[in-house]
Amino acid sequence: MQKKITADYILPISSKPIKQGVITLEEDGKIVSIQPIDAVDDGNIEKFEGVLIPGFINTHCHLELSHMKGKINSGSTLIPFISDVVSYREFPEEQILEAIKLADEEMIREGIVAVGDISNKLDTVKQKSNSPIRYYSFIEMFDFLQDSWADKEFEKYLAVFQGHEDNNKNKKSCVPHAPYTVSTKLFQLINDQNKKKSTVSIHNQETTAENELFINKTGGFLDFYKGFKIPLDAFQATGNSSIHYAIQHMDPKQKTLFVHNTLSTEADIKAAHDWNKQVYWATCPNANLYIENRLPIYKNFINQHAKMTIGTDSLTSNWQLSILDEIKTIAKFQSNVPIETLLKWATLNGAEALSMDEELGSIEVGKRPGINLLNLEIKETNNEVRFNLKSDCQVKKIA
């Protein structure tokens, strides 16, 4: 049975706002038509106050770390945070699986329809298979810059890769963790494993110490490696920021999703764009505040016409898994970014980054994007409409 819905406005994302348009949906969520309200039988329409948008895309999460919610203090900075995460990995299996289930259910309630999820283990496989959310599992690999460890570590994580689904609903790829944890040999093994037209993510420029390591071989990562008794004798400073090491060794033929990018400059962004025309950037503002008490300068990305996306990171480094809350954080601290731009980051750009834009990311006939309702402030003047984010804005999943 078909469902017809309307609201004050539809924001398709891929086209201009539609006043009081009617979306007709099949039972499976496929959009059959988008029509003016006077062209549809009024008695069959569900009417809402607010703005209809496509379902949110969360391009960066660590679902398997959900059991660590509230375990690690905020404001510790990245290196102590990583050390704490390592110490909290071992929990009873039933506790881990229950936390994964609850986190997945939270994202469903928050109107999230697809997630780019970092996986080091197989803990999330069952929940991803059963969930209505579509998952792109990024099987993350690292060898702490030790070429001699690359083969062994790759084989260990390859078993995780093989255990994850790759079908019409869910996707997967092998990915490097970050420039400061992946050797040149492991980069090559990852590149060779991935099939054509994969998306590959990598954590990037999240802390000052990361750039210091690559520019001068100084900073906090020297003590971090020493603390774990991992030698860095063979590592040589490159004289450039860490992203240059990443793009030197990643595959420029793949879609690449750089994550966090807290310290990325316009020069860094331009270098990545010159290297690969299929570059996307995931920002996780609440996690950046939770860990490092700082945000990226979003103007740098806008000036470089960067394809921004939005992620939540994990409950280890966030208070909730809500894309709307991430949007609110950006709007609060850098209000120069228009709400229409933020909504595109949170929907269509994310769907494109995960290669799910054939069905998700915009309200168009033939797609199954999910439909969310936002109670945005609407201002109509001189045949123009503007939308503003209210402090009490909430998301309601409609379809």
Side-chain angles (χ1 to χ4, degrees):
M1 185 175 178
Q2 291 184 338
K3 178 178 184 178
K4 300 179 189 296
I5 57 175
T6 188
D8 299 311
Y9 272 90
I10 300 170
L11 273 181
I13 304 300
S14 58
S15 58
K16 293 181 179 179
I18 303 168
K19 186 173 184 177
Q20 294 182 327
V22 177
I23 304 171
T24 302
L25 302 151
E26 298 283 10
E27 285 189 32
D28 65 355
K30 183 178 181 179
I31 298 175
V32 177
S33 66
I34 305 169
Q35 300 170 280
I37 195 166
D38 57 11
V40 183
D41 180 2
D42 188 71
N44 296 326
I45 305 172
E46 292 183 62
K47 298 180 180 179
F48 299 95
E49 292 183 2
V51 179
L52 298 175
I53 67 165
F56 289 131
I57 313 296
N58 179 359
T59 54
H60 184 72
C61 188
H62 296 250
L63 188 63
E64 67 188 26
L65 302 183
S66 300
H67 62 284
M68 296 190 201
K69 183 177 182 179
K71 300 293 183 185
I72 297 177
N73 292 329
S74 60
S76 64
T77 70
L78 183 65
I79 294 176
F81 175 84
I82 295 172
S83 299
D84 286 343
V85 169
V86 172
S87 67
Y88 277 109
R89 289 296 293 223
E90 300 305 323
F91 266 67
E93 183 181 12
E94 62 273 14
Q95 190 173 339
I96 292 172
L97 296 181
E98 179 64 15
I100 287 168
K101 179 176 178 290
L102 292 175
D104 178 76
E105 291 172 350
E106 177 183 349
M107 288 193 284
I108 293 169
R109 290 193 303 272
E110 288 293 329
I112 293 170
V113 296
V115 177
D117 186 59
I118 301 294
S119 298
N120 302 118
K121 297 183 177 182
L122 293 168
D123 295 341
T124 59
V125 171
K126 183 177 179 181
Q127 188 63 38
K128 289 173 180 175
S129 179
N130 295 333
S131 175
I133 291 176
R134 295 184 62 179
Y135 280 92
Y136 202 126
S137 294
F138 297 123
I139 312 307
E140 185 181 73
M141 304 184 179
F142 45 88
D143 62 0
F144 296 104
L145 296 172
Q146 308 298 307
D147 270 349
S148 62
W149 297 6
D151 288 319
K152 179 185 69 174
E153 294 302 309
F154 177 77
E155 290 300 320
K156 179 173 73 176
Y157 291 113
L158 185 61
V160 179
F161 174 79
Q162 292 168 341
H164 276 75
E165 288 185 340
D166 189 354
N167 49 39
N168 291 333
K169 175 181 172 252
N170 294 328
K171 300 174 183 287
K172 64 181 178 181
S173 62
C174 296
V175 305
H177 166 252
Y180 57 84
T181 55
V182 180
S183 71
T184 58
K185 185 174 182 180
L186 184 55
F187 268 118
Q188 190 58 57
L189 291 170
I190 291 169
N191 293 344
D192 292 343
Q193 174 63 33
N194 286 325
K195 62 185 180 182
K196 293 180 180 178
K197 298 184 178 179
S198 295
T199 298
V200 178
S201 81
I202 184 170
H203 294 78
N204 176 62
Q205 294 177 300
E206 197 174 350
T207 184
T208 303
E210 181 178 336
N211 281 336
E212 290 175 340
L213 177 66
F214 283 91
I215 294 171
N216 300 310
K217 199 177 179 179
T218 58
F221 274 113
L222 295 182
D223 288 336
F224 173 81
Y225 274 84
K226 184 178 180 180
F228 283 98
K229 295 182 171 55
I230 300 173
L232 277 182
D233 298 340
F235 175 80
Q236 298 294 320
T238 64
N240 287 314
S241 60
S242 63
I243 195 171
H244 290 269
Y245 173 76
I247 62 180
Q248 180 183 356
H249 297 293
M250 295 178 77
D251 185 353
K253 296 178 182 177
Q254 305 281 26
K255 282 186 180 178
T256 303
L257 181 64
F258 291 102
V259 179
H260 292 304
N261 317 300
T262 320
L263 297 170
S264 298
T265 65
E266 282 200 50
D268 291 326
I269 299 163
K270 184 179 184 302
H273 290 172
D274 289 344
W275 163 73
N276 182 347
K277 302 305 179 187
Q278 300 183 91
V279 164
Y280 292 80
W281 308 83
T283 184
C284 307
N286 283 325
N288 296 155
L289 292 174
Y290 193 107
I291 298 171
E292 288 265 336
N293 284 322
R294 66 195 304 171
L295 292 174
I297 300 172
Y298 294 110
K299 195 168 185 287
N300 289 345
F301 298 89
I302 292 172
N303 288 346
Q304 290 297 319
H305 307 288
K307 293 182 178 179
M308 295 293 293
T309 72
I310 298 178
T312 62
D313 215 333
S314 73
L315 287 173
T316 317
S317 58
N318 205 335
W319 299 271
Q320 65 282 306
L321 301 178
S322 167
I323 293 296
L324 177 58
D325 203 73
E326 303 295 327
I327 290 172
K328 288 181 178 180
T329 296
I330 298 172
K332 178 180 180 179
F333 290 101
Q334 297 188 36
S335 59
N336 57 314
V337 186
I339 182 60
E340 292 89 345
T341 299
L342 293 175
L343 289 174
K344 186 175 182 181
W345 292 2
T347 56
L348 186 56
N349 283 6
E352 289 178 357
L354 301 183
S355 296
M356 296 182 181
D357 51 307
E358 285 190 9
E359 290 203 336
L360 308 180
S362 60
I363 297 176
E364 298 180 61
V365 172
K367 287 193 173 187
R368 297 177 176 84
I371 306 294
N372 290 338
L373 177 71
L374 294 182
N375 56 323
L376 298 175
E377 181 183 56
I378 302 170
K379 291 186 177 181
E380 295 175 314
T381 56
N382 301 324
N383 296 321
E384 289 186 355
V385 60
R386 297 196 175 209
F387 303 95
N388 294 314
L389 189 65
K390 299 192 292 186
S391 59
D392 65 346
C393 185
Q394 295 180 329
V395 60
K396 180 179 181 181
K397 183 175 175 61
I398 301 298

